[in-house]
Amino acid sequence: MEGEVYYPSQESTAQSYVQDWEALAESARNDLQGFWAERANELFWFKKWDKVLDDSNKPFYRWFDGGKVNITYNCVDVHLQTFRKNKLALIWEAEDGKSERTFSYYALNREVSRMANIIKAMGVGKGDRVTIYMGRIPEITFAMLACAKIGAIHSVIFGGFSVDALHERIADSESKLIITCDGSMQNGKLVELKKIVDESLRHCPTVENVIVVKRTGHEIPMEGGRDHWFHDLCALPIANGKCATEVMDAEDPLFILYTSGSTGKPKAIVHTHGGYMVGTYTTLKYVFDINDEDRFWCTADPGWITGHSYLVYGPFLNGATVFMFEGGPAYPYPNRWWQLIERFGISIFYTAPTAIRALMRFGDAWPNKHDLSSLRLLGSVGEPINPEAWKWFHRVIGKERCPIMDTWWQTETGAFMITPTPVVPLKPGSGTRPFFGQEAEIVDEEGNPVPDGQEGFLLLKNPWPSMMRTIYGDPDRYVSTYWSKYPGKYMTGDSARRDKDGYYWIIGRVDDVIKVSGHRLGTAEVESALITHTAVAESAAIGLPHEVKGQAIYCFVQLKPGFAPSEDLSEELRQHVSRHLGPIARPEEVSFIDKLPKTRSGKIMRRVLKARAQGLPEGDLSTLEE
Ligand code: PRX
């Protein structure tokens, strides 16, 4: 094999589910539907499907059509009939370390059922949307599983988003109910989630009720008739710990999750009960090799797809013990995560390159203070991992024993698409090859495959069970965004190259999506936040490389007449974005420009701004307006 290769050790592969990668890949290649049917058969169905894959109306693929199922039943109820009833399902630790909560699968069922009964009592039923906006606390997990149990569609909004982003997503989904908490803790500071909900709800007529979980205990206003304390509801007779599971069609929507695209407002990606369940269950099992002895920690927030698939659904489907931590990596000290790995005996640790880079900067002494010998597998997701960070993670955290699963996937794919398994030789910075049943292709603008080693657009060739089904309320956009440019193939929006060994190397987004610390944001969202400021006539946001965050947001603003550029105004605009869109979207820098470079048809040439900002050649300027 070419380049630097890390071969799997006997120790890391001895108990691996996948012993013969080539054979399994071959079987999936020869019989895609048979491969997935076999995996689906490991889960519980109220009624088996009539057809594994219905592709009669491409690209609106249907999986396990005719099947009757419920994902929560598979995450919780099925385990109660086994020894797992008494097994730990969830271990949670508060940011300040002062509180630790644990739930067996038995307790998980009680919590989820109680929450489900409460949600039902609020008049929410099958197909209704529920917005969940909370910190990383156990109740967010219960709320998601509870919605799924009764067939309601959850829409989780990341707690790092603010008023405008929340408002837009609640309004678009026409949610009836919001589940939130009084606040969340971040690096010792209070984030006033309920206050943000109150502001967002000023013009959201569909919302009838707000359930508020007490987390911080600080004073918050409660609106009579609309807002209800969760603990008060729990004291009512409706809140009993048993709840019947709604029998769902395999293709019924499970959740929507908003994500940023190239242009316009965020898209609500739709995932389903059946296919998403089979996809997340199988990928977690094979890639992270999860079994009953493991303690699995995925550091993602439930507000993103990684949190949905691998902090909540995937692990519970596998009957795993999940660890959830409320806080971030370096508060109060840069050893917080390493301390937790030692304290809780984490065996599989899945995180993002930005966190690895940030922690690496603090030096080896912090992790070296801790016994990390419980670890056996590591994982990375969200953006390309630079080989330097990969090697540090491998050497200092994994002690050269633990393979790193660099998993490439997207909100839209629901589950891993390009990823190793523990038996696959690794190359730092490459997600290796497509998962079983998948084939990728790298093409030029016209759709012709490019030679190995050359950069091009990354496409996926085969349908897969956990694929998005549509964009909520906008099926045309689903077709035009993902399936139109290269008909019959799924356009990922990423560029990549393949090496001679068939390994894929993701380069990055080719559209106007920015990945800030792995968080997916659209330039359009940042620009529409800026434009609501009285001084701003027009603006352009771009992503530029950043040593720790991967990418950071830089904005160029054209001011309205009567406003003058100043340091203060620049800072005010950064705060404005943070307040409206969310602290995660706070621009690194806002600078002022007399005139934005545009094409003759009026499109902002972000490419030119990017080149200028980095002192690079500006390229072809023939379409630039005079
Ligand atoms: O650019 C790719 C990058 O993240 C994008 C998807 O973002 P999102 O929908 O928020 O999902 C993130 C978590 C699955 C992709 O188009 N990306 C994700 N994982 C990797 C990655 N880039 C390189 N390597 C990865 N492992």
Side-chain angles (χ1 to χ4, degrees):
M1 292 182 95
E2 69 175 20
E4 203 173 355
V5 184
Y6 289 67
Y7 289 94
S9 70
Q10 196 66 32
E11 186 192 347
S12 65
T13 59
Q15 52 177 350
S16 184
Y17 285 109
V18 180
Q19 288 294 330
D20 190 342
W21 191 94
E22 298 294 346
L24 202 54
E26 175 73 14
S27 83
R29 214 171 7 253
N30 294 336
D31 180 12
L32 181 70
Q33 296 193 31
F35 173 83
W36 284 114
E38 210 175 300
R39 310 291 87 68
N41 266 322
E42 294 175 18
L43 294 153
F44 176 83
W45 298 77
F46 297 106
K47 175 186 166 281
K48 287 275 163 75
W49 50 91
D50 303 323
K51 210 171 175 185
V52 178
L53 170 64
D54 176 356
D55 58 1
S56 58
N57 184 27
K58 290 175 192 166
F60 296 94
Y61 294 91
R62 297 174 72 84
W63 283 88
F64 309 108
D65 217 9
K68 300 279 185 194
V69 72
N70 186 301
I71 195 168
T72 296
Y73 196 87
N74 276 285
C75 285
V76 185
D77 301 64
V78 292
H79 304 309
L80 304 184
Q81 291 140 35
T82 71
F83 72 94
R84 288 186 183 136
K85 176 175 158 187
N86 297 318
K87 178 182 168 175
L88 281 185
L90 180 63
I91 306 171
W92 175 83
E93 163 130 331
E95 182 181 77
D96 63 8
K98 289 189 183 142
S99 163
E100 178 189 323
R101 298 165 73 192
T102 54
F103 302 86
S104 63
Y105 273 92
Y106 186 80
L108 181 65
N109 179 51
R110 186 184 59 231
E111 297 295 333
V112 170
S113 298
R114 190 166 70 161
M115 183 84 95
N117 282 321
I118 289 172
I119 295 172
K120 261 208 282 201
M122 296 275 153
V124 171
K126 188 172 175 172
D128 289 336
R129 276 80 57 210
V130 175
T131 293
I132 301 174
Y133 179 66
M134 310 171 81
R136 252 190 324 259
I137 55 174
E139 282 77 7
I140 191 167
T141 306
F142 307 152
M144 291 165 72
L145 292 166
C147 286
K149 190 171 180 71
I150 62 166
I153 302 170
H154 61 69
S155 166
V156 183
I157 315 294
F158 176 53
F161 278 120
S162 200
V163 185
D164 292 3
L166 182 60
H167 169 83
E168 185 176 31
R169 288 157 172 78
I170 296 171
D172 185 75
S173 65
E174 298 178 313
S175 289
K176 269 181 147 169
L177 171 71
I178 313 288
I179 307 177
T180 187
C181 47
D182 54 357
S184 71
M185 298 309 295
Q186 229 172 53
N187 298 328
K189 282 196 225 98
L190 172 71
V191 183
E192 298 205 63
L193 296 177
K194 171 63 166 56
K195 202 169 143 191
I196 297 172
V197 169
D198 287 340
E199 281 180 49
S200 309
L201 288 187
R202 287 212 185 108
H203 314 284
C204 286
T206 57
V207 175
E208 295 162 3
N209 292 291
V210 178
I211 297 176
V212 187
V213 175
K214 185 174 261 180
R215 163 66 193 110
T216 62
H218 73 289
E219 279 290 313
I220 53 162
M222 297 287 280
E223 196 178 297
R226 187 195 72 183
D227 300 349
H228 317 270
W229 281 110
F230 180 62
H231 56 264
D232 288 342
L233 297 170
C234 285
L236 301 175
I238 45 143
N240 73 66
K242 287 205 172 70
C243 176
T245 303
E246 189 77 31
V247 175
M248 306 296 287
D249 288 331
E251 280 291 306
D252 276 337
L254 163 65
F255 65 80
I256 55 177
L257 183 57
Y258 286 88
T259 192
S260 305
S262 228
T263 48
K265 57 177 194 171
K267 306 167 282 200
I269 304 300
V270 177
H271 283 291
T272 58
H273 270 260
Y276 176 81
M277 173 181 82
V278 176
T280 52
Y281 164 76
T282 308
T283 47
L284 187 67
K285 177 173 166 178
Y286 287 167
V287 176
F288 281 111
D289 210 16
I290 201 136
N291 61 50
D292 280 310
E293 286 72 46
D294 282 310
R295 286 187 161 195
F296 180 68
W297 181 11
C298 163
T299 65
D301 191 274
W304 303 97
I305 192 68
T306 309
H308 280 61
S309 300
Y310 300 110
L311 178 61
V312 179
Y313 289 111
F316 293 136
L317 287 168
N318 280 282
T321 297
V322 175
F323 176 66
M324 182 193 256
F325 175 52
E326 184 181 36
Y331 180 82
Y333 301 107
N335 65 331
R336 189 69 173 111
W337 276 6
W338 318 132
Q339 189 186 53
L340 290 169
I341 289 174
E342 175 173 13
R343 193 151 103 82
F344 291 98
I346 303 301
S347 57
I348 309 173
F349 179 60
Y350 186 33
T351 191
T354 183
I356 299 166
R357 287 192 295 264
L359 291 169
M360 192 171 121
R361 287 184 141 199
F362 292 110
D364 300 4
W366 289 101
N368 286 347
K369 272 193 224 278
H370 297 277
D371 174 6
L372 304 179
S373 60
S374 58
L375 288 172
R376 66 178 189 94
L377 273 176
L378 302 173
S380 171
V381 63
E383 45 169 327
I385 179 165
N386 46 313
E388 195 197 353
W390 193 101
K391 288 181 201 168
W392 184 83
F393 198 31
H394 187 255
R395 180 174 53 83
V396 179
I397 307 307
K399 312 291 178 205
E400 294 175 344
R401 284 185 302 109
C402 309
I404 300 175
M405 303 296 106
D406 179 1
T407 60
W408 175 89
W409 57 297
Q410 308 177 303
T411 307
E412 291 88 339
T413 70
F416 308 148
M417 288 290 111
I418 296 178
T419 174
T421 73
V423 294
V424 169
L426 304 172
K427 300 188 190 187
S430 168
T432 75
R433 288 169 293 180
F435 189 71
F436 309 118
Q438 193 48 274
E439 280 174 79
E441 196 170 63
I442 299 177
V443 301
D444 62 17
E445 191 67 36
E446 281 72 46
N448 306 309
V450 301
D452 282 347
Q454 211 165 302
E455 179 178 345
F457 303 106
L458 177 68
L459 310 180
L460 299 177
K461 285 167 77 177
N462 298 337
W464 64 100
S466 67
M467 63 199 299
M468 70 186 295
R469 293 302 190 270
T470 187
I471 293 173
Y472 185 74
D474 202 349
D476 294 344
R477 194 172 172 199
Y478 166 66
V479 179
S480 63
T481 308
Y482 301 102
W483 301 96
S484 293
K485 189 155 179 204
Y486 306 104
K489 291 169 189 166
Y490 170 81
M491 189 172 82
T492 65
D494 277 358
S495 62
R497 61 185 172 77
R498 181 173 46 215
D499 68 19
K500 289 203 171 57
D501 299 311
Y503 275 37
Y504 287 78
W505 300 77
I506 306 295
I507 293 157
R509 300 289 308 188
V510 289
D511 51 14
D512 294 326
V513 167
I514 311 178
K515 300 275 336 222
V516 185
S517 302
H519 297 142
R520 181 163 162 183
L521 297 164
T523 54
E525 291 165 276
V526 181
E527 289 160 10
S528 32
L530 278 170
I531 205 81
T532 60
H533 190 280
T534 44
V536 176
E538 222 176 341
S539 71
I542 57 168
L544 291 180
H546 186 280
E547 219 179 301
V548 175
K549 298 178 184 173
Q551 280 189 302
I553 302 173
Y554 286 77
C555 299
F556 297 87
V557 164
Q558 213 170 298
L559 290 171
K560 282 185 189 156
F563 291 91
S566 72
E567 222 6 83
D568 286 352
L569 184 56
S570 170
E571 176 54 25
E572 190 179 318
L573 291 172
R574 291 164 73 201
Q575 279 176 23
H576 183 81
V577 175
S578 175
R579 207 164 42 242
H580 285 261
L581 186 56
I584 48 160
R586 185 186 156 92
E588 202 71 13
E589 213 175 287
V590 171
S591 39
F592 301 98
I593 191 166
D594 289 337
K595 204 163 186 297
L596 289 168
K598 284 189 185 170
T599 62
R600 274 178 224 112
S601 56
K603 264 188 77 178
I604 295 171
M605 294 180 81
R606 294 196 185 76
R607 167 178 72 75
V608 174
L609 287 169
K610 255 188 197 178
R612 270 183 207 166
Q614 297 178 92
L616 299 170
E618 293 182 14
D620 178 12
L621 295 178
S622 59
T623 56
L624 192 69
E625 69 179 355
E626 293 309 310

